[in-house]
Amino acid sequence: MNNTDLVFQSYGRCCRKDEFFVDFYDFFMSSSDAIRNRFVDTDMAAQRHLLRNGVMQIILVARGMSDRKLRDLGESHNRHNYDIKPEWYDLWEQSLLKTVRAHDPEWTPELQQAWREVLKPGIELIRGVY
Ligand code: HEM
């Protein structure tokens, strides 16, 4: 199986429980006060659903799908809109990897490496629109 298949299946196992997204935002918001502050007025139940879709978009782009929706995400996150600093994406990635490790019963170090490789182009695209 290639990396995108491994990650697609791993994400399916993670998405079985909404706690995956609860834990992700707990990890992510505790990684920096600046990040926590960005979500003070956010409806987190809605945000968890939006993120479920956003991560799926990154995986689908790695599988060859159009990156138009990721470009739109780059636009909403850029300096003129949410103003999400480029360096925060490393914390985002670390929080996601930590959450996958905690939730996927089939986690291995190789699977983590596959996640890193699959996430990279999508994260770089969104970050690059800053
Ligand atoms: C909103 C995904 C990174 C902060 C959103 C939305 C999605 C999303 C799907 C909702 C759609 C939209 O408003 O455009 C992602 C993905 C990321 C990422 C896939 C990584 C590649 C970050 C980072 C931060 C952040 C690093 C840093 C704090 C926000 C905020 C909102 C948002 C503040 C708006 C919340 C609100 O409506 O109150 N993100 N995001 N995102 N994201 Fe991200």
Side-chain angles (χ1 to χ4, degrees):
M1 242 193 296
N2 64 28
N3 281 345
T4 56
D5 291 336
L6 288 169
V7 169
F8 190 73
Q9 295 193 357
S10 168
Y11 191 50
R13 293 189 292 274
C14 291
C15 283
R16 280 179 205 150
K17 293 190 185 142
D18 196 43
E19 279 86 80
F20 178 83
F21 297 94
V22 174
D23 288 351
F24 166 78
Y25 278 111
D26 281 349
F27 289 142
F28 187 42
M29 288 199 234
S30 41
S31 64
S32 140
D33 285 345
I35 287 174
R36 185 184 295 279
N37 289 339
R38 282 295 202 273
F39 292 107
V40 281
D41 294 323
T42 301
D43 169 351
M44 290 312 292
Q47 185 65 23
R48 289 196 287 274
H49 275 282
L50 292 166
L51 185 74
R52 176 189 287 251
N53 205 308
V55 172
M56 183 54 86
Q57 287 300 324
I58 292 183
I59 298 171
L60 291 177
V61 166
R63 289 164 77 92
M65 216 188 69
S66 154
D67 61 11
R68 202 187 53 77
K69 287 188 177 151
L70 290 191
R71 293 196 178 280
D72 290 346
L73 272 184
E75 187 79 21
S76 70
H77 287 64
N78 75 10
R79 71 184 81 225
H80 306 296
N81 295 295
Y82 304 144
D83 191 20
I84 301 306
K85 309 292 179 210
E87 60 269 25
W88 291 345
Y89 289 90
D90 293 340
L91 298 173
W92 187 95
E93 183 189 12
Q94 283 161 25
S95 304
L96 192 73
L97 293 174
K98 198 171 162 184
T99 319
V100 170
R101 181 174 187 160
H103 282 263
D104 184 355
E106 296 181 36
W107 185 92
T108 60
E110 293 72 30
L111 179 63
Q112 171 151 305
Q113 190 51 34
W115 266 97
R116 275 189 209 286
E117 286 168 27
V118 168
L119 290 173
K120 197 172 193 312
I123 293 176
E124 290 316 316
L125 193 156
I126 296 170
R127 183 188 350 230
V129 181
Y130 186 68

PDB file of all heavy atoms in Angstrom, residues 25 28 34-35 38-39 41-43 47 50-51 53-55 58 70 72-73 76-77 82 84-85 88-89 92 122-123 126, ligand 1:
ATOM      1  N   TYR A  25      -8.011  19.700  19.067  1.00  0.00           N
ATOM      2  CA  TYR A  25      -8.060  21.111  19.458  1.00  0.00           C
ATOM      3  C   TYR A  25      -7.527  21.327  20.871  1.00  0.00           C
ATOM      4  O   TYR A  25      -6.966  22.383  21.162  1.00  0.00           O
ATOM      5  CB  TYR A  25      -9.456  21.702  19.249  1.00  0.00           C
ATOM      6  CG  TYR A  25      -9.655  22.104  17.799  1.00  0.00           C
ATOM      7  CD1 TYR A  25     -10.534  21.417  16.971  1.00  0.00           C
ATOM      8  CD2 TYR A  25      -8.920  23.153  17.250  1.00  0.00           C
ATOM      9  CE1 TYR A  25     -10.682  21.774  15.628  1.00  0.00           C
ATOM     10  CE2 TYR A  25      -9.056  23.513  15.917  1.00  0.00           C
ATOM     11  CZ  TYR A  25      -9.930  22.820  15.108  1.00  0.00           C
ATOM     12  OH  TYR A  25     -10.059  23.169  13.780  1.00  0.00           O
ATOM     13  N   PHE A  28      -3.795  21.308  20.227  1.00  0.00           N
ATOM     14  CA  PHE A  28      -3.402  22.460  19.420  1.00  0.00           C
ATOM     15  C   PHE A  28      -3.496  23.747  20.241  1.00  0.00           C
ATOM     16  O   PHE A  28      -2.564  24.556  20.250  1.00  0.00           O
ATOM     17  CB  PHE A  28      -4.286  22.526  18.176  1.00  0.00           C
ATOM     18  CG  PHE A  28      -3.887  23.569  17.167  1.00  0.00           C
ATOM     19  CD1 PHE A  28      -2.548  23.791  16.843  1.00  0.00           C
ATOM     20  CD2 PHE A  28      -4.860  24.325  16.517  1.00  0.00           C
ATOM     21  CE1 PHE A  28      -2.184  24.732  15.907  1.00  0.00           C
ATOM     22  CE2 PHE A  28      -4.510  25.272  15.569  1.00  0.00           C
ATOM     23  CZ  PHE A  28      -3.177  25.480  15.264  1.00  0.00           C
ATOM     24  N   ALA A  34      -1.231  32.217  21.845  1.00  0.00           N
ATOM     25  CA  ALA A  34      -1.633  32.957  20.644  1.00  0.00           C
ATOM     26  C   ALA A  34      -2.644  32.142  19.840  1.00  0.00           C
ATOM     27  O   ALA A  34      -3.606  32.685  19.284  1.00  0.00           O
ATOM     28  CB  ALA A  34      -0.409  33.267  19.794  1.00  0.00           C
ATOM     29  N   ILE A  35      -2.438  30.836  19.799  1.00  0.00           N
ATOM     30  CA  ILE A  35      -3.357  29.975  19.051  1.00  0.00           C
ATOM     31  C   ILE A  35      -4.688  29.855  19.792  1.00  0.00           C
ATOM     32  O   ILE A  35      -5.760  30.021  19.209  1.00  0.00           O
ATOM     33  CB  ILE A  35      -2.702  28.610  18.778  1.00  0.00           C
ATOM     34  CG1 ILE A  35      -1.631  28.820  17.699  1.00  0.00           C
ATOM     35  CG2 ILE A  35      -3.733  27.572  18.345  1.00  0.00           C
ATOM     36  CD1 ILE A  35      -0.785  27.633  17.398  1.00  0.00           C
ATOM     37  N   ARG A  38      -6.954  32.725  19.144  1.00  0.00           N
ATOM     38  CA  ARG A  38      -7.602  32.800  17.837  1.00  0.00           C
ATOM     39  C   ARG A  38      -8.971  32.111  17.840  1.00  0.00           C
ATOM     40  O   ARG A  38      -9.777  32.316  16.946  1.00  0.00           O
ATOM     41  CB  ARG A  38      -6.740  32.138  16.754  1.00  0.00           C
ATOM     42  CG  ARG A  38      -5.584  32.998  16.297  1.00  0.00           C
ATOM     43  CD  ARG A  38      -6.138  34.245  15.614  1.00  0.00           C
ATOM     44  NE  ARG A  38      -5.184  34.853  14.710  1.00  0.00           N
ATOM     45  CZ  ARG A  38      -4.268  35.751  15.060  1.00  0.00           C
ATOM     46  NH1 ARG A  38      -4.205  36.156  16.301  1.00  0.00           N
ATOM     47  NH2 ARG A  38      -3.451  36.248  14.157  1.00  0.00           N
ATOM     48  N   PHE A  39      -9.223  31.250  18.827  1.00  0.00           N
ATOM     49  CA  PHE A  39     -10.472  30.468  18.819  1.00  0.00           C
ATOM     50  C   PHE A  39     -11.440  30.883  19.921  1.00  0.00           C
ATOM     51  O   PHE A  39     -12.413  30.183  20.170  1.00  0.00           O
ATOM     52  CB  PHE A  39     -10.150  28.963  18.947  1.00  0.00           C
ATOM     53  CG  PHE A  39      -9.452  28.394  17.749  1.00  0.00           C
ATOM     54  CD1 PHE A  39      -8.102  28.063  17.803  1.00  0.00           C
ATOM     55  CD2 PHE A  39     -10.136  28.173  16.551  1.00  0.00           C
ATOM     56  CE1 PHE A  39      -7.434  27.525  16.695  1.00  0.00           C
ATOM     57  CE2 PHE A  39      -9.491  27.651  15.444  1.00  0.00           C
ATOM     58  CZ  PHE A  39      -8.134  27.326  15.512  1.00  0.00           C
ATOM     59  N   ASP A  41     -13.761  33.080  20.084  1.00  0.00           N
ATOM     60  CA  ASP A  41     -15.153  33.317  19.670  1.00  0.00           C
ATOM     61  C   ASP A  41     -15.672  32.240  18.714  1.00  0.00           C
ATOM     62  O   ASP A  41     -16.687  32.422  18.045  1.00  0.00           O
ATOM     63  CB  ASP A  41     -15.262  34.684  18.967  1.00  0.00           C
ATOM     64  CG  ASP A  41     -14.970  35.823  19.938  1.00  0.00           C
ATOM     65  OD1 ASP A  41     -15.363  35.713  21.126  1.00  0.00           O
ATOM     66  OD2 ASP A  41     -14.339  36.822  19.506  1.00  0.00           O
ATOM     67  N   THR A  42     -14.968  31.127  18.632  1.00  0.00           N
ATOM     68  CA  THR A  42     -15.315  30.098  17.645  1.00  0.00           C
ATOM     69  C   THR A  42     -16.294  29.082  18.227  1.00  0.00           C
ATOM     70  O   THR A  42     -16.147  28.663  19.374  1.00  0.00           O
ATOM     71  CB  THR A  42     -14.026  29.389  17.183  1.00  0.00           C
ATOM     72  OG1 THR A  42     -13.162  30.368  16.615  1.00  0.00           O
ATOM     73  CG2 THR A  42     -14.307  28.306  16.158  1.00  0.00           C
ATOM     74  N   ASP A  43     -17.268  28.705  17.407  1.00  0.00           N
ATOM     75  CA  ASP A  43     -18.173  27.603  17.759  1.00  0.00           C
ATOM     76  C   ASP A  43     -17.385  26.309  17.485  1.00  0.00           C
ATOM     77  O   ASP A  43     -17.215  25.896  16.336  1.00  0.00           O
ATOM     78  CB  ASP A  43     -19.420  27.693  16.860  1.00  0.00           C
ATOM     79  CG  ASP A  43     -20.310  26.464  16.953  1.00  0.00           C
ATOM     80  OD1 ASP A  43     -19.908  25.452  17.577  1.00  0.00           O
ATOM     81  OD2 ASP A  43     -21.419  26.515  16.387  1.00  0.00           O
ATOM     82  N   GLN A  47     -16.495  23.963  14.231  1.00  0.00           N
ATOM     83  CA  GLN A  47     -15.095  23.968  13.803  1.00  0.00           C
ATOM     84  C   GLN A  47     -14.551  22.539  13.648  1.00  0.00           C
ATOM     85  O   GLN A  47     -13.802  22.240  12.727  1.00  0.00           O
ATOM     86  CB  GLN A  47     -14.256  24.774  14.801  1.00  0.00           C
ATOM     87  CG  GLN A  47     -12.807  24.965  14.401  1.00  0.00           C
ATOM     88  CD  GLN A  47     -12.628  25.798  13.146  1.00  0.00           C
ATOM     89  OE1 GLN A  47     -13.498  26.586  12.777  1.00  0.00           O
ATOM     90  NE2 GLN A  47     -11.521  25.607  12.464  1.00  0.00           N
ATOM     91  N   LEU A  50     -15.659  21.255  10.366  1.00  0.00           N
ATOM     92  CA  LEU A  50     -14.945  21.896   9.264  1.00  0.00           C
ATOM     93  C   LEU A  50     -13.544  21.313   9.142  1.00  0.00           C
ATOM     94  O   LEU A  50     -13.040  21.084   8.043  1.00  0.00           O
ATOM     95  CB  LEU A  50     -14.890  23.409   9.486  1.00  0.00           C
ATOM     96  CG  LEU A  50     -16.244  24.119   9.375  1.00  0.00           C
ATOM     97  CD1 LEU A  50     -16.166  25.526   9.931  1.00  0.00           C
ATOM     98  CD2 LEU A  50     -16.705  24.144   7.917  1.00  0.00           C
ATOM     99  N   LEU A  51     -12.929  21.051  10.292  1.00  0.00           N
ATOM    100  CA  LEU A  51     -11.564  20.510  10.249  1.00  0.00           C
ATOM    101  C   LEU A  51     -11.552  19.081   9.691  1.00  0.00           C
ATOM    102  O   LEU A  51     -10.649  18.699   8.940  1.00  0.00           O
ATOM    103  CB  LEU A  51     -10.913  20.520  11.631  1.00  0.00           C
ATOM    104  CG  LEU A  51      -9.461  20.061  11.526  1.00  0.00           C
ATOM    105  CD1 LEU A  51      -8.588  21.138  10.906  1.00  0.00           C
ATOM    106  CD2 LEU A  51      -8.910  19.618  12.851  1.00  0.00           C
ATOM    107  N   ASN A  53     -13.318  17.914   7.433  1.00  0.00           N
ATOM    108  CA  ASN A  53     -13.308  18.074   5.995  1.00  0.00           C
ATOM    109  C   ASN A  53     -11.973  18.612   5.474  1.00  0.00           C
ATOM    110  O   ASN A  53     -11.476  18.171   4.433  1.00  0.00           O
ATOM    111  CB  ASN A  53     -14.440  19.062   5.663  1.00  0.00           C
ATOM    112  CG  ASN A  53     -14.936  18.866   4.281  1.00  0.00           C
ATOM    113  OD1 ASN A  53     -14.141  18.857   3.345  1.00  0.00           O
ATOM    114  ND2 ASN A  53     -16.236  18.708   4.136  1.00  0.00           N
ATOM    115  N   GLY A  54     -11.396  19.556   6.214  1.00  0.00           N
ATOM    116  CA  GLY A  54     -10.134  20.158   5.786  1.00  0.00           C
ATOM    117  C   GLY A  54      -9.003  19.141   5.700  1.00  0.00           C
ATOM    118  O   GLY A  54      -8.237  19.127   4.726  1.00  0.00           O
ATOM    119  N   VAL A  55      -8.928  18.261   6.710  1.00  0.00           N
ATOM    120  CA  VAL A  55      -7.866  17.240   6.689  1.00  0.00           C
ATOM    121  C   VAL A  55      -8.121  16.288   5.516  1.00  0.00           C
ATOM    122  O   VAL A  55      -7.187  15.893   4.796  1.00  0.00           O
ATOM    123  CB  VAL A  55      -7.806  16.479   8.035  1.00  0.00           C
ATOM    124  CG1 VAL A  55      -6.836  15.306   7.946  1.00  0.00           C
ATOM    125  CG2 VAL A  55      -7.411  17.426   9.167  1.00  0.00           C
ATOM    126  N   ILE A  58      -6.786  17.721   2.360  1.00  0.00           N
ATOM    127  CA  ILE A  58      -5.327  17.586   2.226  1.00  0.00           C
ATOM    128  C   ILE A  58      -4.980  16.187   1.715  1.00  0.00           C
ATOM    129  O   ILE A  58      -4.137  16.022   0.824  1.00  0.00           O
ATOM    130  CB  ILE A  58      -4.634  17.869   3.577  1.00  0.00           C
ATOM    131  CG1 ILE A  58      -4.800  19.346   3.950  1.00  0.00           C
ATOM    132  CG2 ILE A  58      -3.149  17.493   3.523  1.00  0.00           C
ATOM    133  CD1 ILE A  58      -4.093  19.745   5.244  1.00  0.00           C
ATOM    134  N   LEU A  70      -8.130  23.853  -1.194  1.00  0.00           N
ATOM    135  CA  LEU A  70      -7.013  24.189  -0.296  1.00  0.00           C
ATOM    136  C   LEU A  70      -6.544  25.622  -0.551  1.00  0.00           C
ATOM    137  O   LEU A  70      -6.147  26.320   0.374  1.00  0.00           O
ATOM    138  CB  LEU A  70      -5.843  23.220  -0.463  1.00  0.00           C
ATOM    139  CG  LEU A  70      -6.021  21.786   0.041  1.00  0.00           C
ATOM    140  CD1 LEU A  70      -4.679  21.066   0.040  1.00  0.00           C
ATOM    141  CD2 LEU A  70      -6.639  21.749   1.434  1.00  0.00           C
ATOM    142  N   ASP A  72      -8.495  28.029  -1.388  1.00  0.00           N
ATOM    143  CA  ASP A  72      -9.481  28.863  -0.683  1.00  0.00           C
ATOM    144  C   ASP A  72      -9.154  28.911   0.814  1.00  0.00           C
ATOM    145  O   ASP A  72      -9.278  29.953   1.456  1.00  0.00           O
ATOM    146  CB  ASP A  72     -10.904  28.316  -0.864  1.00  0.00           C
ATOM    147  CG  ASP A  72     -11.403  28.489  -2.296  1.00  0.00           C
ATOM    148  OD1 ASP A  72     -10.786  29.250  -3.061  1.00  0.00           O
ATOM    149  OD2 ASP A  72     -12.421  27.849  -2.642  1.00  0.00           O
ATOM    150  N   LEU A  73      -8.722  27.760   1.376  1.00  0.00           N
ATOM    151  CA  LEU A  73      -8.342  27.730   2.795  1.00  0.00           C
ATOM    152  C   LEU A  73      -7.124  28.616   3.027  1.00  0.00           C
ATOM    153  O   LEU A  73      -7.043  29.324   4.031  1.00  0.00           O
ATOM    154  CB  LEU A  73      -8.010  26.309   3.242  1.00  0.00           C
ATOM    155  CG  LEU A  73      -9.153  25.430   3.756  1.00  0.00           C
ATOM    156  CD1 LEU A  73      -8.580  24.105   4.245  1.00  0.00           C
ATOM    157  CD2 LEU A  73      -9.897  26.140   4.887  1.00  0.00           C
ATOM    158  N   SER A  76      -8.397  32.122   3.245  1.00  0.00           N
ATOM    159  CA  SER A  76      -9.097  32.516   4.488  1.00  0.00           C
ATOM    160  C   SER A  76      -8.110  32.640   5.645  1.00  0.00           C
ATOM    161  O   SER A  76      -8.337  33.377   6.589  1.00  0.00           O
ATOM    162  CB  SER A  76     -10.217  31.531   4.835  1.00  0.00           C
ATOM    163  OG  SER A  76      -9.711  30.278   5.256  1.00  0.00           O
ATOM    164  N   HIS A  77      -6.983  31.905   5.576  1.00  0.00           N
ATOM    165  CA  HIS A  77      -6.006  31.913   6.671  1.00  0.00           C
ATOM    166  C   HIS A  77      -4.908  32.965   6.483  1.00  0.00           C
ATOM    167  O   HIS A  77      -4.057  33.120   7.344  1.00  0.00           O
ATOM    168  CB  HIS A  77      -5.363  30.521   6.818  1.00  0.00           C
ATOM    169  CG  HIS A  77      -6.296  29.507   7.429  1.00  0.00           C
ATOM    170  ND1 HIS A  77      -7.456  29.104   6.826  1.00  0.00           N
ATOM    171  CD2 HIS A  77      -6.240  28.824   8.612  1.00  0.00           C
ATOM    172  CE1 HIS A  77      -8.073  28.217   7.604  1.00  0.00           C
ATOM    173  NE2 HIS A  77      -7.371  28.031   8.688  1.00  0.00           N
ATOM    174  N   TYR A  82      -7.711  35.558   8.507  1.00  0.00           N
ATOM    175  CA  TYR A  82      -7.466  35.139   9.902  1.00  0.00           C
ATOM    176  C   TYR A  82      -6.063  35.499  10.384  1.00  0.00           C
ATOM    177  O   TYR A  82      -5.776  35.436  11.568  1.00  0.00           O
ATOM    178  CB  TYR A  82      -7.663  33.636  10.084  1.00  0.00           C
ATOM    179  CG  TYR A  82      -9.017  33.093   9.674  1.00  0.00           C
ATOM    180  CD1 TYR A  82      -9.109  31.836   9.085  1.00  0.00           C
ATOM    181  CD2 TYR A  82     -10.185  33.821   9.889  1.00  0.00           C
ATOM    182  CE1 TYR A  82     -10.343  31.321   8.710  1.00  0.00           C
ATOM    183  CE2 TYR A  82     -11.413  33.306   9.507  1.00  0.00           C
ATOM    184  CZ  TYR A  82     -11.482  32.052   8.910  1.00  0.00           C
ATOM    185  OH  TYR A  82     -12.687  31.535   8.536  1.00  0.00           O
ATOM    186  N   ILE A  84      -3.068  33.876  10.047  1.00  0.00           N
ATOM    187  CA  ILE A  84      -2.456  32.720  10.705  1.00  0.00           C
ATOM    188  C   ILE A  84      -0.968  32.684  10.328  1.00  0.00           C
ATOM    189  O   ILE A  84      -0.617  32.471   9.159  1.00  0.00           O
ATOM    190  CB  ILE A  84      -3.167  31.414  10.281  1.00  0.00           C
ATOM    191  CG1 ILE A  84      -4.672  31.472  10.641  1.00  0.00           C
ATOM    192  CG2 ILE A  84      -2.481  30.198  10.892  1.00  0.00           C
ATOM    193  CD1 ILE A  84      -4.995  31.797  12.078  1.00  0.00           C
ATOM    194  N   LYS A  85      -0.116  32.897  11.329  1.00  0.00           N
ATOM    195  CA  LYS A  85       1.329  33.011  11.085  1.00  0.00           C
ATOM    196  C   LYS A  85       1.891  31.694  10.528  1.00  0.00           C
ATOM    197  O   LYS A  85       1.535  30.617  11.028  1.00  0.00           O
ATOM    198  CB  LYS A  85       2.071  33.338  12.380  1.00  0.00           C
ATOM    199  CG  LYS A  85       1.500  34.522  13.144  1.00  0.00           C
ATOM    200  CD  LYS A  85       1.715  35.835  12.411  1.00  0.00           C
ATOM    201  CE  LYS A  85       1.097  36.990  13.191  1.00  0.00           C
ATOM    202  NZ  LYS A  85       0.642  38.082  12.287  1.00  0.00           N
ATOM    203  N   TRP A  88       2.929  28.791  12.799  1.00  0.00           N
ATOM    204  CA  TRP A  88       1.924  28.048  13.565  1.00  0.00           C
ATOM    205  C   TRP A  88       1.558  26.711  12.922  1.00  0.00           C
ATOM    206  O   TRP A  88       1.003  25.832  13.576  1.00  0.00           O
ATOM    207  CB  TRP A  88       0.666  28.899  13.751  1.00  0.00           C
ATOM    208  CG  TRP A  88       0.881  30.072  14.670  1.00  0.00           C
ATOM    209  CD1 TRP A  88       1.941  30.259  15.525  1.00  0.00           C
ATOM    210  CD2 TRP A  88       0.036  31.210  14.834  1.00  0.00           C
ATOM    211  NE1 TRP A  88       1.794  31.446  16.201  1.00  0.00           N
ATOM    212  CE2 TRP A  88       0.630  32.054  15.800  1.00  0.00           C
ATOM    213  CE3 TRP A  88      -1.173  31.600  14.262  1.00  0.00           C
ATOM    214  CZ2 TRP A  88       0.064  33.257  16.199  1.00  0.00           C
ATOM    215  CZ3 TRP A  88      -1.748  32.795  14.663  1.00  0.00           C
ATOM    216  CH2 TRP A  88      -1.132  33.606  15.617  1.00  0.00           C
ATOM    217  N   TYR A  89       1.843  26.586  11.621  1.00  0.00           N
ATOM    218  CA  TYR A  89       1.483  25.331  10.950  1.00  0.00           C
ATOM    219  C   TYR A  89       2.295  24.142  11.466  1.00  0.00           C
ATOM    220  O   TYR A  89       1.850  23.009  11.400  1.00  0.00           O
ATOM    221  CB  TYR A  89       1.613  25.479   9.422  1.00  0.00           C
ATOM    222  CG  TYR A  89       0.523  26.367   8.878  1.00  0.00           C
ATOM    223  CD1 TYR A  89       0.710  27.745   8.763  1.00  0.00           C
ATOM    224  CD2 TYR A  89      -0.716  25.840   8.536  1.00  0.00           C
ATOM    225  CE1 TYR A  89      -0.311  28.580   8.305  1.00  0.00           C
ATOM    226  CE2 TYR A  89      -1.741  26.660   8.070  1.00  0.00           C
ATOM    227  CZ  TYR A  89      -1.529  28.027   7.960  1.00  0.00           C
ATOM    228  OH  TYR A  89      -2.542  28.849   7.516  1.00  0.00           O
ATOM    229  N   TRP A  92       0.393  22.974  14.348  1.00  0.00           N
ATOM    230  CA  TRP A  92      -0.811  22.308  13.834  1.00  0.00           C
ATOM    231  C   TRP A  92      -0.470  20.863  13.441  1.00  0.00           C
ATOM    232  O   TRP A  92      -1.156  19.920  13.839  1.00  0.00           O
ATOM    233  CB  TRP A  92      -1.345  23.097  12.621  1.00  0.00           C
ATOM    234  CG  TRP A  92      -2.666  22.627  12.089  1.00  0.00           C
ATOM    235  CD1 TRP A  92      -3.887  23.128  12.401  1.00  0.00           C
ATOM    236  CD2 TRP A  92      -2.891  21.574  11.136  1.00  0.00           C
ATOM    237  NE1 TRP A  92      -4.865  22.451  11.715  1.00  0.00           N
ATOM    238  CE2 TRP A  92      -4.287  21.497  10.934  1.00  0.00           C
ATOM    239  CE3 TRP A  92      -2.070  20.692  10.444  1.00  0.00           C
ATOM    240  CZ2 TRP A  92      -4.872  20.572  10.066  1.00  0.00           C
ATOM    241  CZ3 TRP A  92      -2.641  19.760   9.586  1.00  0.00           C
ATOM    242  CH2 TRP A  92      -4.026  19.709   9.399  1.00  0.00           C
ATOM    243  N   GLY A 122       0.002  19.771   1.215  1.00  0.00           N
ATOM    244  CA  GLY A 122      -1.214  20.525   1.531  1.00  0.00           C
ATOM    245  C   GLY A 122      -0.931  21.635   2.532  1.00  0.00           C
ATOM    246  O   GLY A 122      -1.394  22.775   2.366  1.00  0.00           O
ATOM    247  N   ILE A 123      -0.145  21.318   3.569  1.00  0.00           N
ATOM    248  CA  ILE A 123       0.194  22.340   4.565  1.00  0.00           C
ATOM    249  C   ILE A 123       1.009  23.442   3.898  1.00  0.00           C
ATOM    250  O   ILE A 123       0.756  24.632   4.090  1.00  0.00           O
ATOM    251  CB  ILE A 123       0.970  21.731   5.755  1.00  0.00           C
ATOM    252  CG1 ILE A 123       0.061  20.785   6.548  1.00  0.00           C
ATOM    253  CG2 ILE A 123       1.526  22.830   6.668  1.00  0.00           C
ATOM    254  CD1 ILE A 123       0.764  20.054   7.698  1.00  0.00           C
ATOM    255  N   ILE A 126      -1.252  25.791   1.879  1.00  0.00           N
ATOM    256  CA  ILE A 126      -2.047  26.723   2.690  1.00  0.00           C
ATOM    257  C   ILE A 126      -1.133  27.783   3.313  1.00  0.00           C
ATOM    258  O   ILE A 126      -1.394  28.981   3.231  1.00  0.00           O
ATOM    259  CB  ILE A 126      -2.841  25.955   3.772  1.00  0.00           C
ATOM    260  CG1 ILE A 126      -3.862  25.017   3.117  1.00  0.00           C
ATOM    261  CG2 ILE A 126      -3.541  26.930   4.727  1.00  0.00           C
ATOM    262  CD1 ILE A 126      -4.534  24.055   4.075  1.00  0.00           C
TER     263      ILE A 126
HETATM  264  C1  HEM B   1     -10.904  27.988  10.127  1.00  0.00           C
HETATM  265  C2  HEM B   1      -8.656  24.122   8.275  1.00  0.00           C
HETATM  266  C3  HEM B   1      -4.474  25.664  10.153  1.00  0.00           C
HETATM  267  C4  HEM B   1      -6.923  28.862  12.786  1.00  0.00           C
HETATM  268  C5  HEM B   1     -10.647  26.834   9.422  1.00  0.00           C
HETATM  269  C6  HEM B   1     -11.607  26.127   8.603  1.00  0.00           C
HETATM  270  C7  HEM B   1     -10.977  25.026   8.109  1.00  0.00           C
HETATM  271  C8  HEM B   1      -9.617  25.051   8.599  1.00  0.00           C
HETATM  272  C9  HEM B   1     -11.552  23.948   7.177  1.00  0.00           C
HETATM  273  C10 HEM B   1     -13.040  26.558   8.311  1.00  0.00           C
HETATM  274  C11 HEM B   1     -13.158  27.130   6.920  1.00  0.00           C
HETATM  275  C12 HEM B   1     -12.669  28.553   6.811  1.00  0.00           C
HETATM  276  O1  HEM B   1     -12.995  29.367   7.692  1.00  0.00           O
HETATM  277  O2  HEM B   1     -11.941  28.845   5.840  1.00  0.00           O
HETATM  278  C13 HEM B   1      -7.307  24.244   8.568  1.00  0.00           C
HETATM  279  C14 HEM B   1      -6.261  23.376   8.056  1.00  0.00           C
HETATM  280  C15 HEM B   1      -5.077  23.820   8.581  1.00  0.00           C
HETATM  281  C16 HEM B   1      -5.399  24.958   9.424  1.00  0.00           C
HETATM  282  C17 HEM B   1      -6.485  22.190   7.122  1.00  0.00           C
HETATM  283  C18 HEM B   1      -3.669  23.291   8.372  1.00  0.00           C
HETATM  284  C19 HEM B   1      -3.142  22.991   7.200  1.00  0.00           C
HETATM  285  C20 HEM B   1      -4.775  26.614  11.088  1.00  0.00           C
HETATM  286  C21 HEM B   1      -3.818  27.180  12.010  1.00  0.00           C
HETATM  287  C22 HEM B   1      -4.504  28.054  12.785  1.00  0.00           C
HETATM  288  C23 HEM B   1      -5.897  28.068  12.317  1.00  0.00           C
HETATM  289  C24 HEM B   1      -2.321  26.848  12.076  1.00  0.00           C
HETATM  290  C25 HEM B   1      -3.865  28.856  13.908  1.00  0.00           C
HETATM  291  C26 HEM B   1      -4.499  29.342  14.953  1.00  0.00           C
HETATM  292  C27 HEM B   1      -8.187  28.943  12.242  1.00  0.00           C
HETATM  293  C28 HEM B   1      -9.183  29.939  12.664  1.00  0.00           C
HETATM  294  C29 HEM B   1     -10.331  29.676  11.902  1.00  0.00           C
HETATM  295  C30 HEM B   1     -10.016  28.539  11.030  1.00  0.00           C
HETATM  296  C31 HEM B   1      -8.988  31.025  13.714  1.00  0.00           C
HETATM  297  C32 HEM B   1     -11.668  30.439  11.965  1.00  0.00           C
HETATM  298  C33 HEM B   1     -12.447  30.029  13.193  1.00  0.00           C
HETATM  299  C34 HEM B   1     -13.767  30.754  13.311  1.00  0.00           C
HETATM  300  O3  HEM B   1     -14.572  30.738  12.352  1.00  0.00           O
HETATM  301  O4  HEM B   1     -13.998  31.331  14.379  1.00  0.00           O
HETATM  302  N1  HEM B   1      -9.449  26.164   9.402  1.00  0.00           N
HETATM  303  N2  HEM B   1      -6.754  25.191   9.388  1.00  0.00           N
HETATM  304  N3  HEM B   1      -6.014  27.171  11.295  1.00  0.00           N
HETATM  305  N4  HEM B   1      -8.729  28.142  11.267  1.00  0.00           N
HETATM  306 FE1  HEM B   1      -7.730  26.716  10.318  1.00  0.00          FE
END
